Amino acid sequence: MNVVDDSAQQAALDIFLPSPPPDVEQQEAFLDEAAALALAGQPITVYLQDEDAWAFEECEPVRALLESAGESALPVTLLGLDIVVSSVYPTTEQMTRFAREGGAPRAPRSAAASACGPGGAPGGGAMPMPREAGGFAAQLLGVAPAPARPEGGPEIGVRRNLMGGDHGDGLPGQDAPAR
């Protein structure tokens, strides 16, 4: 187990567990792993549903998740106010990674940058924004001239123009009087 002992750079994890657990052995194994990480200096707080009911009520993300998804969403792992794992017990590697990454300093990002995908920058999962306007947008902006419009309409050859000559009597012939 590779655990970083520098708890000043680790974020606290809050883990909400069901009581009684659906699988007692699995929950006991998880609690042993969490205790080992806590003894190594990782900040972890575990809340049991029956013993710590107040925490389930006061924690808004957990309360909202349980109201919408029910108790099948337990266990729930929080990093700050963000739910990072639900419905399964987090592994030792996940708990270590969440605490390490959650405690890492982050540059502030705007909401617009967050919409660009992971990392908040073009190329971080999103298509890069074009640097020059093109197509119809360029015409609207006045960057590109609109193509010339055809004069008089297309050449139709020997075909007949039905745009005003057919009144339900069929096609007018050469000898038929125009209406």
Side-chain angles (χ1 to χ4, degrees):
M1 169 168 50
N2 186 11
V3 178
V4 179
D5 196 24
D6 188 9
S7 60
Q9 292 183 357
Q10 293 183 342
L13 294 176
D14 293 309
I15 303 169
F16 294 79
L17 301 178
S19 291
D23 185 349
V24 176
E25 290 178 15
Q26 186 180 17
Q27 185 160 311
E28 288 299 321
F30 165 76
L31 288 171
D32 291 342
E33 292 173 6
L37 289 174
L39 289 173
Q42 184 167 328
I44 296 176
T45 305
V46 175
Y47 300 98
L48 296 173
Q49 193 175 20
D50 59 355
E51 295 176 20
D52 303 307
W54 61 270
F56 283 75
E57 285 298 316
E58 289 183 18
C59 183
E60 178 62 31
V62 172
R63 185 176 71 238
L65 179 64
L66 292 177
E67 286 173 0
S68 65
E71 292 189 15
S72 64
L74 292 174
V76 175
T77 303
L78 292 178
L79 177 62
L81 293 177
D82 296 327
I83 296 174
V84 292
V85 177
S86 66
S87 302
V88 296
Y89 294 97
T91 65
T92 301
E93 189 276 325
Q94 284 176 322
M95 290 186 287
T96 303
R97 183 171 33 99
F98 294 146
R100 183 179 61 244
E101 296 297 323
R106 296 182 185 179
R109 299 186 326 183
S110 69
S114 297
C116 290
M127 279 300 267
M129 294 297 292
R131 295 190 181 270
E132 296 180 10
F136 187 64
Q139 293 172 16
L140 290 176
L141 294 172
V143 176
R149 293 186 177 187
E151 300 266 340
E155 174 59 42
I156 61 171
V158 294
R159 293 174 284 168
R160 297 184 186 199
N161 185 354
L162 301 178
M163 296 297 295
D166 185 12
H167 298 283
D169 312 62
L171 293 175
Q174 295 281 348
D175 300 335
R179 290 188 186 189

